[in-house]
Amino acid sequence: SGTGGKSFATITAPTYTATAVDGSDGGVVTYALTLAGATTATGLVTTDGNHPITLVVDSANQISGMYDSNNDSVLDATAFTVTLSGTTVTLTSNVALEHDNTQTASEDNDLDISSLIKVTATITVTDNDGDVVSTDVSTVSPLSLEFDDTDPVISNVVAPTLSALSVVEASGTGGKSFATITAPTYTA
């Protein structure tokens, strides 16, 4: 995994039925989306230093994956953020995360925190004489949040070449010969 990766997802607005907002009393129906999570261990660690990452709720619109970068028991660095703006959720990776690096078919290249963060919709109905009612409803399933590791690939490899070497032995005098090795070619 690298750093600086960013991914976006769109949330569908909640559906609801509001009564007593039409007719002579009139009224307004609004909704607001927020992120819902708790300060909890994620099970993820940074590649550099193997620092455990903890979810921290920064605000109703941002949850960060924080870690203690210098082992002083203070969460002082941000590994990733999950932000909500309108109906768009953004997952931003700031540091590399530790993955299985066995490079086999059974390698797990996905790190997920999908069970840890939900979206809550607060629906508020206000009629024209000031009566207000509101309700909160969370997503049935948490957000699907994954960090995918991509493995390096090498292809089109052409082996190095070596020119011929020969030393002529004449009358017991030592000889020396040099050869040039051409570096391999490849696509990475």
Side-chain angles (χ1 to χ4, degrees), residues 9 18 28 40 50 58 61 63 81 88 93 111 114 116 161 169 173:
V28 176
T40 186
N50 290 317
D58 301 319
N61 297 317
I63 296 178
T81 58
T88 302
S93 174
L111 298 176
S114 294
L116 302 178
T161 58
E169 216 176 309
T173 306

Side-chain angles (χ1 to χ4, degrees), residues 132-177:
V132 177
V133 64
S134 68
T135 188
D136 293 334
V137 61
S138 291
T139 52
V140 175
S141 300
L143 290 172
S144 177
L145 301 169
E146 291 186 353
F147 299 91
D148 296 324
D149 187 26
T150 54
D151 293 330
V153 175
I154 299 174
S155 59
N156 302 322
V157 176
V158 176
T161 58
L162 178 62
S163 58
L165 284 174
S166 64
V167 173
V168 176
E169 216 176 309
S171 327
T173 306
K176 197 184 276 189
S177 182

Side-chain angles (χ1 to χ4, degrees), residues 7-186:
S7 182
F8 305 92
T10 301
I11 299 172
T12 304
T15 57
Y16 50 85
T17 302
T19 58
V21 292
D22 23 343
S24 62
D25 212 14
V28 176
V29 179
T30 60
Y31 76 90
L33 299 175
T34 57
L35 295 174
T39 299
T40 186
T42 62
L44 305 178
V45 296
T46 62
T47 297
D48 185 19
N50 290 317
H51 302 288
I53 299 171
T54 301
L55 282 187
V56 175
V57 179
D58 301 319
S59 69
N61 297 317
Q62 180 170 306
I63 296 178
S64 297
M66 303 288 297
Y67 64 97
D68 175 7
S69 67
N70 56 6
N71 299 317
D72 65 356
S73 300
V74 176
L75 299 175
D76 59 352
T78 304
F80 60 85
T81 58
V82 179
T83 57
L84 173 66
S85 178
T87 58
T88 302
V89 174
T90 305
L91 173 61
T92 304
S93 174
N94 298 322
V95 299
L97 303 178
E98 189 61 41
H99 285 79
D100 179 10
N101 288 316
T102 56
Q103 307 293 317
T104 65
S106 64
E107 176 186 13
D108 182 7
N109 281 331
D110 296 329
L111 298 176
D112 75 62
I113 54 171
S114 294
S115 64
L116 302 178
I117 301 174
K118 289 187 174 191
V119 174
T120 299
T122 301
I123 304 163
T124 304
V125 179
T126 306
D127 67 12
N128 279 340
D129 64 2
D131 297 326
V132 177
V133 64
S134 68
T135 188
D136 293 334
V137 61
S138 291
T139 52
V140 175
S141 300
L143 290 172
S144 177
L145 301 169
E146 291 186 353
F147 299 91
D148 296 324
D149 187 26
T150 54
D151 293 330
V153 175
I154 299 174
S155 59
N156 302 322
V157 176
V158 176
T161 58
L162 178 62
S163 58
L165 284 174
S166 64
V167 173
V168 176
E169 216 176 309
S171 327
T173 306
K176 197 184 276 189
S177 182
F178 299 93
T180 302
I181 301 173
T182 304
T185 59
Y186 53 90

